[in-house]
Amino acid sequence: MALFSVKMRSSKGEFHISGAERIVPEEQIEKVVLSLLKRAKNHPRGNPDFISIKVEELKEEPLYLRALPVFEVKPLWSPVKILEKLFSLSQVPVDMGLKFYRLLLSGISPSGGVMRGAAVVEVPSGRRLESNKERGIRVSYIDITREAKEELRRLSGEKFTENFKEALTLSTKVLNHPSILAELCVSDDPDYTTGYLSISKKGYFRIFNMKERGVPYGGRVFFVKSGTEIEELRKYLEKKPVIVSSVSSYSVVSPDELV
Ligand code: PML
């Protein structure tokens, strides 16, 4: 059965307001186009003066993945201390991890703003590999099945948000690539202060209060192995369709229990 990618993005002038995407069978296209249109028109960031909706048949079979296991870290320590602990459990040096966390909080793009895509940082050199440092690499062609979404909602209860579901879907695709060691994310939504660090072979660690409310900066950093072939990684992240079709687990952990 043919599958279609449906992508929406909206803006006002130069200002990006929202974006979302789905992968659906042909008979669901109309319903999904309408729901993405409604979403674009009712966004807390404002009324767009430009909405683009693109429908495109997938040219290759999607990869079906199980979501990363999720660990909600109890906010018993400061976010910096939690990140220090988590980076020490990863292959990313703690100093390097914290340096990029601070950069995300202060505007990581060369012009001092938010990058539309992710920065790619080689470990241990710290070299930036993405060719366009203003745009970065944008992960695309992702979705989660209705069953997996409902299971995630059941497991995470009142902590479920649409942002969380979309971030877990994206991070599951990212961490599935063998070159990726970790992904750090701080939302650029001024009102969304929960972020995460995903670590290869460990999972997705949700961290509350990653930034002060009202801060308009954020973004994503992918930490990769030395010798990563950036063009191959870019193609996978930007083009390979991925559908998350099952979830693993959702647990709440204290920072001192992290191992
Ligand atoms: C974003 O706004 O794109 C990032 C959302 C991060 C979600 C973090 C979470 O709630 O687990």
Side-chain angles (χ1 to χ4, degrees), residues 1-5 21-25 56-66 140-145 169 173 176 236 239-245:
M1 178 181 36
L3 289 173
F4 288 76
S5 152
E21 67 172 291
R22 301 289 314 277
I23 296 175
V24 294
E56 176 195 6
E57 186 174 344
L58 292 187
K59 297 290 178 288
E60 57 177 319
E61 275 293 298
L63 204 56
Y64 290 88
L65 298 179
R66 173 181 284 264
S140 195
Y141 295 98
I142 48 174
D143 202 352
I144 180 168
T145 60
T169 303
K173 176 175 183 181
N176 182 57
Y236 166 78
K239 303 281 183 221
K240 179 73 195 171
V242 165
I243 296 180
V244 170
S245 52

PDB file of all heavy atoms in Angstrom, residues 1-5 21-25 56-66 140-145 169 173 176 236 239-245:
ATOM      1  N   MET A   1       0.843  -1.193   0.000  1.00  0.00           N
ATOM      2  CA  MET A   1       0.000   0.000   0.000  1.00  0.00           C
ATOM      3  C   MET A   1       0.889   1.258   0.000  1.00  0.00           C
ATOM      4  O   MET A   1       1.831   1.351   0.790  1.00  0.00           O
ATOM      5  CB  MET A   1      -0.862  -0.013   1.271  1.00  0.00           C
ATOM      6  CG  MET A   1      -1.735   1.189   1.420  1.00  0.00           C
ATOM      7  SD  MET A   1      -2.712   1.147   2.945  1.00  0.00           S
ATOM      8  CE  MET A   1      -1.633   0.392   4.141  1.00  0.00           C
ATOM      9  N   ALA A   2       0.565   2.186  -0.905  1.00  0.00           N
ATOM     10  CA  ALA A   2       1.398   3.395  -0.993  1.00  0.00           C
ATOM     11  C   ALA A   2       1.231   4.251   0.256  1.00  0.00           C
ATOM     12  O   ALA A   2       0.126   4.388   0.789  1.00  0.00           O
ATOM     13  CB  ALA A   2       0.992   4.185  -2.228  1.00  0.00           C
ATOM     14  N   LEU A   3       2.336   4.828   0.693  1.00  0.00           N
ATOM     15  CA  LEU A   3       2.296   5.731   1.841  1.00  0.00           C
ATOM     16  C   LEU A   3       2.682   7.129   1.376  1.00  0.00           C
ATOM     17  O   LEU A   3       3.486   7.278   0.447  1.00  0.00           O
ATOM     18  CB  LEU A   3       3.279   5.267   2.920  1.00  0.00           C
ATOM     19  CG  LEU A   3       2.892   4.001   3.671  1.00  0.00           C
ATOM     20  CD1 LEU A   3       4.031   3.560   4.578  1.00  0.00           C
ATOM     21  CD2 LEU A   3       1.634   4.238   4.509  1.00  0.00           C
ATOM     22  N   PHE A   4       2.119   8.127   2.063  1.00  0.00           N
ATOM     23  CA  PHE A   4       2.381   9.511   1.678  1.00  0.00           C
ATOM     24  C   PHE A   4       2.926  10.309   2.856  1.00  0.00           C
ATOM     25  O   PHE A   4       2.486  10.126   3.994  1.00  0.00           O
ATOM     26  CB  PHE A   4       1.080  10.174   1.178  1.00  0.00           C
ATOM     27  CG  PHE A   4       0.664   9.661  -0.174  1.00  0.00           C
ATOM     28  CD1 PHE A   4       0.070   8.411  -0.297  1.00  0.00           C
ATOM     29  CD2 PHE A   4       0.905  10.411  -1.316  1.00  0.00           C
ATOM     30  CE1 PHE A   4      -0.290   7.919  -1.541  1.00  0.00           C
ATOM     31  CE2 PHE A   4       0.543   9.929  -2.566  1.00  0.00           C
ATOM     32  CZ  PHE A   4      -0.049   8.677  -2.680  1.00  0.00           C
ATOM     33  N   SER A   5       3.876  11.171   2.544  1.00  0.00           N
ATOM     34  CA  SER A   5       4.374  12.112   3.548  1.00  0.00           C
ATOM     35  C   SER A   5       3.539  13.382   3.409  1.00  0.00           C
ATOM     36  O   SER A   5       3.335  13.882   2.294  1.00  0.00           O
ATOM     37  CB  SER A   5       5.849  12.387   3.257  1.00  0.00           C
ATOM     38  OG  SER A   5       6.202  13.660   3.721  1.00  0.00           O
ATOM     39  N   GLU A  21       4.638  16.976  10.708  1.00  0.00           N
ATOM     40  CA  GLU A  21       4.562  16.069   9.562  1.00  0.00           C
ATOM     41  C   GLU A  21       3.976  14.733   9.962  1.00  0.00           C
ATOM     42  O   GLU A  21       3.990  14.356  11.141  1.00  0.00           O
ATOM     43  CB  GLU A  21       5.939  15.879   8.936  1.00  0.00           C
ATOM     44  CG  GLU A  21       6.928  15.147   9.813  1.00  0.00           C
ATOM     45  CD  GLU A  21       8.197  14.825   9.034  1.00  0.00           C
ATOM     46  OE1 GLU A  21       8.133  13.987   8.122  1.00  0.00           O
ATOM     47  OE2 GLU A  21       9.235  15.411   9.344  1.00  0.00           O
ATOM     48  N   ARG A  22       3.423  14.023   8.980  1.00  0.00           N
ATOM     49  CA  ARG A  22       2.843  12.706   9.185  1.00  0.00           C
ATOM     50  C   ARG A  22       3.235  11.805   8.011  1.00  0.00           C
ATOM     51  O   ARG A  22       3.604  12.300   6.941  1.00  0.00           O
ATOM     52  CB  ARG A  22       1.305  12.798   9.228  1.00  0.00           C
ATOM     53  CG  ARG A  22       0.713  13.693  10.308  1.00  0.00           C
ATOM     54  CD  ARG A  22       0.882  13.083  11.676  1.00  0.00           C
ATOM     55  NE  ARG A  22       0.520  11.679  11.697  1.00  0.00           N
ATOM     56  CZ  ARG A  22      -0.724  11.205  11.820  1.00  0.00           C
ATOM     57  NH1 ARG A  22      -1.714  12.042  11.958  1.00  0.00           N
ATOM     58  NH2 ARG A  22      -0.965   9.909  11.816  1.00  0.00           N
ATOM     59  N   ILE A  23       3.133  10.500   8.222  1.00  0.00           N
ATOM     60  CA  ILE A  23       3.252   9.541   7.107  1.00  0.00           C
ATOM     61  C   ILE A  23       1.985   8.700   7.150  1.00  0.00           C
ATOM     62  O   ILE A  23       1.719   8.044   8.168  1.00  0.00           O
ATOM     63  CB  ILE A  23       4.518   8.658   7.270  1.00  0.00           C
ATOM     64  CG1 ILE A  23       5.789   9.516   7.180  1.00  0.00           C
ATOM     65  CG2 ILE A  23       4.541   7.574   6.180  1.00  0.00           C
ATOM     66  CD1 ILE A  23       7.082   8.764   7.449  1.00  0.00           C
ATOM     67  N   VAL A  24       1.183   8.748   6.067  1.00  0.00           N
ATOM     68  CA  VAL A  24      -0.144   8.125   6.131  1.00  0.00           C
ATOM     69  C   VAL A  24      -0.488   7.406   4.825  1.00  0.00           C
ATOM     70  O   VAL A  24       0.024   7.761   3.758  1.00  0.00           O
ATOM     71  CB  VAL A  24      -1.248   9.178   6.405  1.00  0.00           C
ATOM     72  CG1 VAL A  24      -1.094   9.786   7.788  1.00  0.00           C
ATOM     73  CG2 VAL A  24      -1.264  10.260   5.353  1.00  0.00           C
ATOM     74  N   PRO A  25      -1.401   6.426   4.892  1.00  0.00           N
ATOM     75  CA  PRO A  25      -1.890   5.818   3.651  1.00  0.00           C
ATOM     76  C   PRO A  25      -2.772   6.810   2.887  1.00  0.00           C
ATOM     77  O   PRO A  25      -3.293   7.767   3.470  1.00  0.00           O
ATOM     78  CB  PRO A  25      -2.711   4.610   4.121  1.00  0.00           C
ATOM     79  CG  PRO A  25      -2.896   4.767   5.578  1.00  0.00           C
ATOM     80  CD  PRO A  25      -1.935   5.770   6.091  1.00  0.00           C
ATOM     81  N   GLU A  56       3.361  14.091  -0.589  1.00  0.00           N
ATOM     82  CA  GLU A  56       4.333  13.465  -1.496  1.00  0.00           C
ATOM     83  C   GLU A  56       4.327  11.957  -1.260  1.00  0.00           C
ATOM     84  O   GLU A  56       4.377  11.511  -0.104  1.00  0.00           O
ATOM     85  CB  GLU A  56       5.679  14.084  -1.093  1.00  0.00           C
ATOM     86  CG  GLU A  56       6.899  13.613  -1.739  1.00  0.00           C
ATOM     87  CD  GLU A  56       8.131  14.083  -0.913  1.00  0.00           C
ATOM     88  OE1 GLU A  56       7.982  14.668   0.184  1.00  0.00           O
ATOM     89  OE2 GLU A  56       9.226  13.807  -1.370  1.00  0.00           O
ATOM     90  N   GLU A  57       4.273  11.179  -2.319  1.00  0.00           N
ATOM     91  CA  GLU A  57       4.306   9.724  -2.146  1.00  0.00           C
ATOM     92  C   GLU A  57       5.711   9.286  -1.746  1.00  0.00           C
ATOM     93  O   GLU A  57       6.700   9.769  -2.304  1.00  0.00           O
ATOM     94  CB  GLU A  57       3.905   9.029  -3.456  1.00  0.00           C
ATOM     95  CG  GLU A  57       3.790   7.530  -3.270  1.00  0.00           C
ATOM     96  CD  GLU A  57       3.253   6.801  -4.514  1.00  0.00           C
ATOM     97  OE1 GLU A  57       2.690   7.449  -5.408  1.00  0.00           O
ATOM     98  OE2 GLU A  57       3.420   5.582  -4.558  1.00  0.00           O
ATOM     99  N   LEU A  58       5.799   8.379  -0.767  1.00  0.00           N
ATOM    100  CA  LEU A  58       7.126   7.890  -0.353  1.00  0.00           C
ATOM    101  C   LEU A  58       7.718   7.036  -1.457  1.00  0.00           C
ATOM    102  O   LEU A  58       7.037   6.194  -2.034  1.00  0.00           O
ATOM    103  CB  LEU A  58       7.029   7.053   0.925  1.00  0.00           C
ATOM    104  CG  LEU A  58       6.650   7.767   2.210  1.00  0.00           C
ATOM    105  CD1 LEU A  58       6.788   6.796   3.380  1.00  0.00           C
ATOM    106  CD2 LEU A  58       7.487   9.010   2.451  1.00  0.00           C
ATOM    107  N   LYS A  59       9.009   7.250  -1.691  1.00  0.00           N
ATOM    108  CA  LYS A  59       9.674   6.502  -2.758  1.00  0.00           C
ATOM    109  C   LYS A  59      10.352   5.243  -2.218  1.00  0.00           C
ATOM    110  O   LYS A  59      10.852   4.421  -2.957  1.00  0.00           O
ATOM    111  CB  LYS A  59      10.738   7.378  -3.448  1.00  0.00           C
ATOM    112  CG  LYS A  59      10.148   8.596  -4.132  1.00  0.00           C
ATOM    113  CD  LYS A  59       9.332   8.203  -5.376  1.00  0.00           C
ATOM    114  CE  LYS A  59       8.694   9.398  -6.042  1.00  0.00           C
ATOM    115  NZ  LYS A  59       7.558   9.988  -5.319  1.00  0.00           N
ATOM    116  N   GLU A  60      10.440   5.157  -0.876  1.00  0.00           N
ATOM    117  CA  GLU A  60      11.027   3.939  -0.312  1.00  0.00           C
ATOM    118  C   GLU A  60      10.238   3.512   0.921  1.00  0.00           C
ATOM    119  O   GLU A  60       9.569   4.314   1.562  1.00  0.00           O
ATOM    120  CB  GLU A  60      12.512   4.121   0.012  1.00  0.00           C
ATOM    121  CG  GLU A  60      12.833   5.241   0.953  1.00  0.00           C
ATOM    122  CD  GLU A  60      14.319   5.328   1.280  1.00  0.00           C
ATOM    123  OE1 GLU A  60      14.961   4.279   1.480  1.00  0.00           O
ATOM    124  OE2 GLU A  60      14.822   6.453   1.356  1.00  0.00           O
ATOM    125  N   GLU A  61      10.367   2.224   1.246  1.00  0.00           N
ATOM    126  CA  GLU A  61       9.687   1.652   2.406  1.00  0.00           C
ATOM    127  C   GLU A  61      10.193   2.307   3.686  1.00  0.00           C
ATOM    128  O   GLU A  61      11.405   2.494   3.840  1.00  0.00           O
ATOM    129  CB  GLU A  61      10.036   0.167   2.512  1.00  0.00           C
ATOM    130  CG  GLU A  61       9.177  -0.734   1.683  1.00  0.00           C
ATOM    131  CD  GLU A  61       7.744  -0.741   2.192  1.00  0.00           C
ATOM    132  OE1 GLU A  61       7.521  -1.146   3.340  1.00  0.00           O
ATOM    133  OE2 GLU A  61       6.855  -0.318   1.427  1.00  0.00           O
ATOM    134  N   PRO A  62       9.305   2.624   4.637  1.00  0.00           N
ATOM    135  CA  PRO A  62       9.810   3.159   5.900  1.00  0.00           C
ATOM    136  C   PRO A  62      10.475   2.075   6.739  1.00  0.00           C
ATOM    137  O   PRO A  62      10.211   0.875   6.570  1.00  0.00           O
ATOM    138  CB  PRO A  62       8.566   3.683   6.607  1.00  0.00           C
ATOM    139  CG  PRO A  62       7.409   3.182   5.867  1.00  0.00           C
ATOM    140  CD  PRO A  62       7.848   2.578   4.585  1.00  0.00           C
ATOM    141  N   LEU A  63      11.309   2.548   7.634  1.00  0.00           N
ATOM    142  CA  LEU A  63      11.906   1.675   8.639  1.00  0.00           C
ATOM    143  C   LEU A  63      10.967   1.747   9.846  1.00  0.00           C
ATOM    144  O   LEU A  63      10.577   2.846  10.250  1.00  0.00           O
ATOM    145  CB  LEU A  63      13.243   2.324   8.994  1.00  0.00           C
ATOM    146  CG  LEU A  63      14.400   1.557   9.551  1.00  0.00           C
ATOM    147  CD1 LEU A  63      14.768   0.416   8.629  1.00  0.00           C
ATOM    148  CD2 LEU A  63      15.595   2.527   9.706  1.00  0.00           C
ATOM    149  N   TYR A  64      10.588   0.597  10.411  1.00  0.00           N
ATOM    150  CA  TYR A  64       9.707   0.593  11.592  1.00  0.00           C
ATOM    151  C   TYR A  64      10.571   0.373  12.827  1.00  0.00           C
ATOM    152  O   TYR A  64      11.301  -0.625  12.891  1.00  0.00           O
ATOM    153  CB  TYR A  64       8.636  -0.492  11.459  1.00  0.00           C
ATOM    154  CG  TYR A  64       7.617  -0.143  10.388  1.00  0.00           C
ATOM    155  CD1 TYR A  64       7.826  -0.495   9.059  1.00  0.00           C
ATOM    156  CD2 TYR A  64       6.473   0.577  10.708  1.00  0.00           C
ATOM    157  CE1 TYR A  64       6.910  -0.144   8.069  1.00  0.00           C
ATOM    158  CE2 TYR A  64       5.551   0.934   9.724  1.00  0.00           C
ATOM    159  CZ  TYR A  64       5.772   0.567   8.413  1.00  0.00           C
ATOM    160  OH  TYR A  64       4.870   0.924   7.435  1.00  0.00           O
ATOM    161  N   LEU A  65      10.509   1.307  13.776  1.00  0.00           N
ATOM    162  CA  LEU A  65      11.393   1.224  14.948  1.00  0.00           C
ATOM    163  C   LEU A  65      10.595   1.216  16.247  1.00  0.00           C
ATOM    164  O   LEU A  65       9.505   1.789  16.330  1.00  0.00           O
ATOM    165  CB  LEU A  65      12.340   2.433  14.989  1.00  0.00           C
ATOM    166  CG  LEU A  65      13.316   2.610  13.831  1.00  0.00           C
ATOM    167  CD1 LEU A  65      14.143   3.891  14.049  1.00  0.00           C
ATOM    168  CD2 LEU A  65      14.259   1.413  13.710  1.00  0.00           C
ATOM    169  N   ARG A  66      11.222   0.600  17.280  1.00  0.00           N
ATOM    170  CA  ARG A  66      10.678   0.686  18.645  1.00  0.00           C
ATOM    171  C   ARG A  66      11.255   1.956  19.283  1.00  0.00           C
ATOM    172  O   ARG A  66      12.461   2.221  19.140  1.00  0.00           O
ATOM    173  CB  ARG A  66      11.134  -0.543  19.439  1.00  0.00           C
ATOM    174  CG  ARG A  66      10.780  -0.497  20.910  1.00  0.00           C
ATOM    175  CD  ARG A  66      11.287  -1.741  21.615  1.00  0.00           C
ATOM    176  NE  ARG A  66      10.436  -2.873  21.306  1.00  0.00           N
ATOM    177  CZ  ARG A  66       9.424  -3.284  22.083  1.00  0.00           C
ATOM    178  NH1 ARG A  66       9.185  -2.679  23.227  1.00  0.00           N
ATOM    179  NH2 ARG A  66       8.689  -4.288  21.735  1.00  0.00           N
ATOM    180  N   SER A 140      13.694  14.584   9.078  1.00  0.00           N
ATOM    181  CA  SER A 140      12.399  14.617   8.407  1.00  0.00           C
ATOM    182  C   SER A 140      11.928  13.208   8.064  1.00  0.00           C
ATOM    183  O   SER A 140      12.662  12.244   8.243  1.00  0.00           O
ATOM    184  CB  SER A 140      12.561  15.463   7.145  1.00  0.00           C
ATOM    185  OG  SER A 140      11.301  15.808   6.657  1.00  0.00           O
ATOM    186  N   TYR A 141      10.691  13.104   7.549  1.00  0.00           N
ATOM    187  CA  TYR A 141      10.059  11.824   7.194  1.00  0.00           C
ATOM    188  C   TYR A 141       9.943  10.909   8.428  1.00  0.00           C
ATOM    189  O   TYR A 141      10.517   9.824   8.463  1.00  0.00           O
ATOM    190  CB  TYR A 141      10.809  11.132   6.043  1.00  0.00           C
ATOM    191  CG  TYR A 141      10.740  11.919   4.763  1.00  0.00           C
ATOM    192  CD1 TYR A 141      11.787  12.751   4.389  1.00  0.00           C
ATOM    193  CD2 TYR A 141       9.608  11.882   3.952  1.00  0.00           C
ATOM    194  CE1 TYR A 141      11.714  13.525   3.229  1.00  0.00           C
ATOM    195  CE2 TYR A 141       9.528  12.650   2.795  1.00  0.00           C
ATOM    196  CZ  TYR A 141      10.580  13.461   2.444  1.00  0.00           C
ATOM    197  OH  TYR A 141      10.504  14.219   1.306  1.00  0.00           O
ATOM    198  N   ILE A 142       9.224  11.399   9.428  1.00  0.00           N
ATOM    199  CA  ILE A 142       9.033  10.625  10.661  1.00  0.00           C
ATOM    200  C   ILE A 142       7.564  10.662  11.070  1.00  0.00           C
ATOM    201  O   ILE A 142       6.856  11.636  10.812  1.00  0.00           O
ATOM    202  CB  ILE A 142       9.901  11.168  11.830  1.00  0.00           C
ATOM    203  CG1 ILE A 142       9.767  12.695  11.954  1.00  0.00           C
ATOM    204  CG2 ILE A 142      11.345  10.749  11.690  1.00  0.00           C
ATOM    205  CD1 ILE A 142      10.484  13.269  13.164  1.00  0.00           C
ATOM    206  N   ASP A 143       7.151   9.583  11.727  1.00  0.00           N
ATOM    207  CA  ASP A 143       5.806   9.556  12.313  1.00  0.00           C
ATOM    208  C   ASP A 143       5.769   8.436  13.355  1.00  0.00           C
ATOM    209  O   ASP A 143       6.718   7.648  13.466  1.00  0.00           O
ATOM    210  CB  ASP A 143       4.734   9.334  11.231  1.00  0.00           C
ATOM    211  CG  ASP A 143       3.349   9.836  11.676  1.00  0.00           C
ATOM    212  OD1 ASP A 143       3.199  10.204  12.858  1.00  0.00           O
ATOM    213  OD2 ASP A 143       2.426   9.833  10.833  1.00  0.00           O
ATOM    214  N   ILE A 144       4.675   8.403  14.099  1.00  0.00           N
ATOM    215  CA  ILE A 144       4.467   7.351  15.109  1.00  0.00           C
ATOM    216  C   ILE A 144       3.072   6.782  14.868  1.00  0.00           C
ATOM    217  O   ILE A 144       2.149   7.537  14.504  1.00  0.00           O
ATOM    218  CB  ILE A 144       4.631   7.934  16.534  1.00  0.00           C
ATOM    219  CG1 ILE A 144       4.434   6.868  17.616  1.00  0.00           C
ATOM    220  CG2 ILE A 144       3.708   9.113  16.783  1.00  0.00           C
ATOM    221  CD1 ILE A 144       4.862   7.326  19.027  1.00  0.00           C
ATOM    222  N   THR A 145       2.898   5.474  15.023  1.00  0.00           N
ATOM    223  CA  THR A 145       1.562   4.910  14.779  1.00  0.00           C
ATOM    224  C   THR A 145       0.596   5.332  15.895  1.00  0.00           C
ATOM    225  O   THR A 145       1.017   5.683  17.009  1.00  0.00           O
ATOM    226  CB  THR A 145       1.601   3.368  14.738  1.00  0.00           C
ATOM    227  OG1 THR A 145       2.076   2.901  16.012  1.00  0.00           O
ATOM    228  CG2 THR A 145       2.504   2.851  13.635  1.00  0.00           C
ATOM    229  N   THR A 169       9.870  10.543  18.876  1.00  0.00           N
ATOM    230  CA  THR A 169       9.870   9.966  17.523  1.00  0.00           C
ATOM    231  C   THR A 169      11.140  10.379  16.786  1.00  0.00           C
ATOM    232  O   THR A 169      11.862   9.554  16.204  1.00  0.00           O
ATOM    233  CB  THR A 169       8.617  10.452  16.748  1.00  0.00           C
ATOM    234  OG1 THR A 169       7.462  10.096  17.500  1.00  0.00           O
ATOM    235  CG2 THR A 169       8.541   9.841  15.367  1.00  0.00           C
ATOM    236  N   LYS A 173      14.638   8.031  15.705  1.00  0.00           N
ATOM    237  CA  LYS A 173      15.274   7.944  14.382  1.00  0.00           C
ATOM    238  C   LYS A 173      16.752   8.315  14.487  1.00  0.00           C
ATOM    239  O   LYS A 173      17.620   7.620  13.947  1.00  0.00           O
ATOM    240  CB  LYS A 173      14.566   8.874  13.384  1.00  0.00           C
ATOM    241  CG  LYS A 173      15.269   8.883  12.022  1.00  0.00           C
ATOM    242  CD  LYS A 173      14.541   9.694  10.966  1.00  0.00           C
ATOM    243  CE  LYS A 173      15.276   9.598   9.621  1.00  0.00           C
ATOM    244  NZ  LYS A 173      14.672  10.362   8.549  1.00  0.00           N
ATOM    245  N   ASN A 176      19.038   5.773  16.150  1.00  0.00           N
ATOM    246  CA  ASN A 176      19.122   4.501  15.432  1.00  0.00           C
ATOM    247  C   ASN A 176      20.329   4.463  14.484  1.00  0.00           C
ATOM    248  O   ASN A 176      20.745   3.392  14.054  1.00  0.00           O
ATOM    249  CB  ASN A 176      17.828   4.290  14.628  1.00  0.00           C
ATOM    250  CG  ASN A 176      17.831   2.975  13.891  1.00  0.00           C
ATOM    251  OD1 ASN A 176      17.986   1.911  14.499  1.00  0.00           O
ATOM    252  ND2 ASN A 176      17.715   3.024  12.572  1.00  0.00           N
ATOM    253  N   TYR A 236      20.406  10.049   5.610  1.00  0.00           N
ATOM    254  CA  TYR A 236      19.570   9.216   6.481  1.00  0.00           C
ATOM    255  C   TYR A 236      18.608  10.100   7.291  1.00  0.00           C
ATOM    256  O   TYR A 236      17.393   9.853   7.333  1.00  0.00           O
ATOM    257  CB  TYR A 236      20.450   8.369   7.419  1.00  0.00           C
ATOM    258  CG  TYR A 236      19.678   7.741   8.547  1.00  0.00           C
ATOM    259  CD1 TYR A 236      18.892   6.603   8.330  1.00  0.00           C
ATOM    260  CD2 TYR A 236      19.688   8.302   9.824  1.00  0.00           C
ATOM    261  CE1 TYR A 236      18.146   6.041   9.371  1.00  0.00           C
ATOM    262  CE2 TYR A 236      18.948   7.743  10.862  1.00  0.00           C
ATOM    263  CZ  TYR A 236      18.177   6.624  10.632  1.00  0.00           C
ATOM    264  OH  TYR A 236      17.433   6.085  11.657  1.00  0.00           O
ATOM    265  N   LYS A 239      16.132  12.175   4.834  1.00  0.00           N
ATOM    266  CA  LYS A 239      15.345  11.512   3.769  1.00  0.00           C
ATOM    267  C   LYS A 239      14.740  10.147   4.114  1.00  0.00           C
ATOM    268  O   LYS A 239      13.731   9.762   3.532  1.00  0.00           O
ATOM    269  CB  LYS A 239      16.225  11.311   2.514  1.00  0.00           C
ATOM    270  CG  LYS A 239      16.841  12.575   1.959  1.00  0.00           C
ATOM    271  CD  LYS A 239      15.824  13.370   1.150  1.00  0.00           C
ATOM    272  CE  LYS A 239      16.445  14.600   0.521  1.00  0.00           C
ATOM    273  NZ  LYS A 239      15.586  15.763   0.585  1.00  0.00           N
ATOM    274  N   LYS A 240      15.366   9.372   4.980  1.00  0.00           N
ATOM    275  CA  LYS A 240      14.870   8.004   5.207  1.00  0.00           C
ATOM    276  C   LYS A 240      13.560   8.036   6.008  1.00  0.00           C
ATOM    277  O   LYS A 240      13.533   8.547   7.130  1.00  0.00           O
ATOM    278  CB  LYS A 240      15.940   7.207   5.981  1.00  0.00           C
ATOM    279  CG  LYS A 240      15.541   5.785   6.313  1.00  0.00           C
ATOM    280  CD  LYS A 240      15.549   4.897   5.096  1.00  0.00           C
ATOM    281  CE  LYS A 240      14.814   3.586   5.344  1.00  0.00           C
ATOM    282  NZ  LYS A 240      14.611   2.798   4.137  1.00  0.00           N
ATOM    283  N   PRO A 241      12.470   7.480   5.472  1.00  0.00           N
ATOM    284  CA  PRO A 241      11.225   7.477   6.256  1.00  0.00           C
ATOM    285  C   PRO A 241      11.306   6.499   7.442  1.00  0.00           C
ATOM    286  O   PRO A 241      11.765   5.371   7.274  1.00  0.00           O
ATOM    287  CB  PRO A 241      10.168   6.996   5.248  1.00  0.00           C
ATOM    288  CG  PRO A 241      10.821   6.998   3.913  1.00  0.00           C
ATOM    289  CD  PRO A 241      12.297   6.904   4.132  1.00  0.00           C
ATOM    290  N   VAL A 242      10.877   6.976   8.588  1.00  0.00           N
ATOM    291  CA  VAL A 242      10.902   6.155   9.802  1.00  0.00           C
ATOM    292  C   VAL A 242       9.561   6.278  10.520  1.00  0.00           C
ATOM    293  O   VAL A 242       9.051   7.391  10.711  1.00  0.00           O
ATOM    294  CB  VAL A 242      12.053   6.598  10.754  1.00  0.00           C
ATOM    295  CG1 VAL A 242      11.864   6.021  12.147  1.00  0.00           C
ATOM    296  CG2 VAL A 242      13.414   6.179  10.199  1.00  0.00           C
ATOM    297  N   ILE A 243       8.997   5.131  10.892  1.00  0.00           N
ATOM    298  CA  ILE A 243       7.750   5.136  11.666  1.00  0.00           C
ATOM    299  C   ILE A 243       8.013   4.411  12.982  1.00  0.00           C
ATOM    300  O   ILE A 243       8.502   3.271  12.991  1.00  0.00           O
ATOM    301  CB  ILE A 243       6.615   4.439  10.890  1.00  0.00           C
ATOM    302  CG1 ILE A 243       6.316   5.240   9.613  1.00  0.00           C
ATOM    303  CG2 ILE A 243       5.361   4.306  11.753  1.00  0.00           C
ATOM    304  CD1 ILE A 243       5.218   4.665   8.737  1.00  0.00           C
ATOM    305  N   VAL A 244       7.731   5.090  14.083  1.00  0.00           N
ATOM    306  CA  VAL A 244       7.850   4.435  15.392  1.00  0.00           C
ATOM    307  C   VAL A 244       6.565   3.634  15.592  1.00  0.00           C
ATOM    308  O   VAL A 244       5.466   4.188  15.593  1.00  0.00           O
ATOM    309  CB  VAL A 244       8.076   5.482  16.506  1.00  0.00           C
ATOM    310  CG1 VAL A 244       7.959   4.836  17.883  1.00  0.00           C
ATOM    311  CG2 VAL A 244       9.445   6.139  16.342  1.00  0.00           C
ATOM    312  N   SER A 245       6.727   2.308  15.736  1.00  0.00           N
ATOM    313  CA  SER A 245       5.533   1.454  15.751  1.00  0.00           C
ATOM    314  C   SER A 245       5.300   0.785  17.105  1.00  0.00           C
ATOM    315  O   SER A 245       4.298   0.095  17.281  1.00  0.00           O
ATOM    316  CB  SER A 245       5.649   0.395  14.657  1.00  0.00           C
ATOM    317  OG  SER A 245       6.878  -0.270  14.767  1.00  0.00           O
TER     318      SER A 245
END
